[in-house]
Amino acid sequence: MRAAVMYGAGDIRIEHRPDPVIQQPTDAVVRTVLSCVCGSDLWPYASMPPAGTGRLMGHEFLGVVEETGPEVTGVRAGDLVVAPFTYCDSTCDYCARGLTFSCRNGGRYGTGGVDGGQGEAVRVPQADGTLVRLPVDAGSALLPSLLTLSDVMGTGHHGAVTAGVGPGDTVLVIGDGAVGLCAVLAAGRLGAERIVLMGRHTDRTDLGRAFGATDVIAERGEEGVARVRDLTGGDGVGKVIEAVGTRAALETAIAAADDGGTISRLGIPQYEEGPVGPSTVLRNITLTGGASPARSYIPELLPDVLDGTIDPGRVLDGTFTLDQVPDAYRAMADRRVLKALITF
């Protein structure tokens, strides 16, 4: 099969790799129908040191089951399935608490002998606990939105849930990338009355408005914080979703939060130390968020995608073939594409 492999910053290649086969009785082999490039893929694309063996890329995909191990009972050959961005058994104590990302028998695609999601096929460990069968066919127009359940929509939802968003709330979302826009959609779905989106790319913030943002702030830093406080009567916002991952974004989140507010961090931090000293503690600011347990959220979000209540697939605004994956990375890195869809 062919798959995307990263060999260093800016160096993505499409290579022939061994076809996946069943290795454990709980495995399934899935032929990929759709995949995509994640914003988190852009961090190594910008900074990964040269590597001789390369790194298999991709963790968001849906496809058709080709083969299953003898212990797999939940899916069978021919089923169209979506895979959350980490695999899990859905039975361990962490999974029982909804923390499927922390599954004791789980792991990540592209590591430990497991295929990446940006390839023609994937061996999925713990198939029964991981894969979710989709009640549509491979030609459905809903597939892009269903694909977002693998990561980006579940991650945006995680931000809204951990921030404690509920009916009538005012919410600040920092970042107009795909995760931030899905956080806007999720906050509205949970009943937020006012959603302030902080972003400066008009095409993206326009989509944010379509997703439910009531206000858009293009300014950053102190100016952006001042705008937030102007919009909220001076106090700041009680619920903040930080979907960027830089220290500057965290500093903005803390400065824009109301005393007693909650900040959910979704962006993978590109820093080791942050502003978490006395000034944060004395204001009773809660920092939460983290890696989304996407598998736990799929049963809740799936019905709303199927009936059209939410349409998160709109964040996938550029389509590329597998051979064009290097172009997809460049397009996202250059901000010509919000999130690249990969077809097979």
Side-chain angles (χ1 to χ4, degrees):
M1 70 165 187
R2 295 178 304 146
V5 185
M6 184 179 293
Y7 281 88
D11 187 2
I12 294 280
R13 309 175 195 175
I14 306 303
E15 295 187 341
H16 288 279
R17 310 287 295 189
D19 290 334
V21 297
I22 299 296
Q23 297 182 18
Q24 300 294 330
T26 53
D27 288 349
V29 173
V30 175
R31 174 175 53 81
T32 311
V33 172
L34 289 180
S35 182
C36 54
V37 179
C38 182
S40 66
D41 294 332
L42 297 184
W43 292 116
Y45 184 71
S47 62
M48 178 180 168
T53 56
R55 170 179 168 181
L56 290 166
M57 297 303 295
H59 52 261
E60 302 166 275
F61 64 96
L62 60 74
V64 176
V65 176
E66 288 197 327
E67 185 181 3
T68 61
E71 294 183 11
V72 176
T73 60
V75 296
R76 60 184 180 181
D79 284 346
L80 181 70
V81 294
V82 63
F85 70 97
T86 58
Y87 58 87
C88 57
D89 61 19
S90 290
T91 60
C92 79
D93 54 334
Y94 282 123
C95 290
R97 292 161 54 193
L99 294 173
T100 51
F101 184 87
S102 301
C103 177
R104 295 186 185 277
N105 297 303
R108 303 177 68 180
Y109 299 103
T111 65
V114 178
D115 307 287
Q118 293 168 10
E120 291 178 318
V122 182
R123 178 178 70 87
V124 179
Q126 305 294 340
D128 272 346
T130 302
L131 298 174
V132 177
R133 190 172 63 84
L134 299 172
V136 298
D137 61 41
S140 172
L142 292 174
L143 257 57
S145 282
L146 293 168
L147 174 62
T148 68
L149 300 182
S150 66
D151 184 351
V152 65
M153 184 60 211
T155 296
H157 179 67
H158 186 56
V161 169
T162 54
V165 175
D169 281 343
T170 295
V171 181
L172 170 64
V173 177
I174 300 175
D176 58 8
V179 169
L181 296 180
C182 284
V184 169
L185 195 58
R189 180 181 174 275
L190 292 178
E193 182 175 303
R194 191 173 194 183
I195 304 171
V196 181
L197 173 61
M198 187 171 281
R200 57 173 53 185
H201 304 94
T202 305
D203 54 339
R204 300 182 179 196
T205 56
D206 285 349
L207 181 55
R209 290 186 187 276
F211 277 178
T214 55
D215 304 271
V216 171
I217 293 176
E219 293 85 355
R220 296 183 182 182
E222 293 182 3
E223 290 185 25
V225 171
R227 283 288 315 281
V228 172
R229 291 190 172 273
D230 285 344
L231 287 173
T232 56
D235 288 335
V237 179
K239 311 291 173 64
V240 183
I241 301 171
E242 189 274 285
V244 179
T246 63
R247 176 165 173 162
L250 177 60
E251 290 172 345
T252 296
I254 292 172
D258 192 3
D259 285 15
T262 299
I263 299 168
S264 177
R265 298 191 302 159
L266 297 182
I268 297 176
Q270 302 303 301
Y271 53 89
E272 294 296 332
E273 297 180 356
V276 292
S279 62
T280 304
V281 172
L282 295 176
R283 293 177 58 211
N284 285 287
I285 299 293
T286 297
L287 296 179
T288 183
S292 168
R295 178 60 180 84
S296 297
Y297 292 138
I298 292 176
E300 176 183 352
L301 297 173
L302 178 59
D304 281 5
V305 172
L306 292 173
D307 68 13
T309 299
I310 57 175
D311 186 13
R314 294 177 66 183
V315 300
L316 294 156
D317 62 342
T319 302
F320 300 80
T321 65
L322 179 58
D323 287 331
Q324 295 172 324
V325 164
D327 297 328
Y329 274 79
R330 281 192 293 272
M332 285 184 61
D334 294 342
R335 296 189 181 276
R336 291 181 283 114
V337 167
L338 170 60
K339 188 170 180 66
L341 179 69
I342 305 169
T343 60
F344 293 82

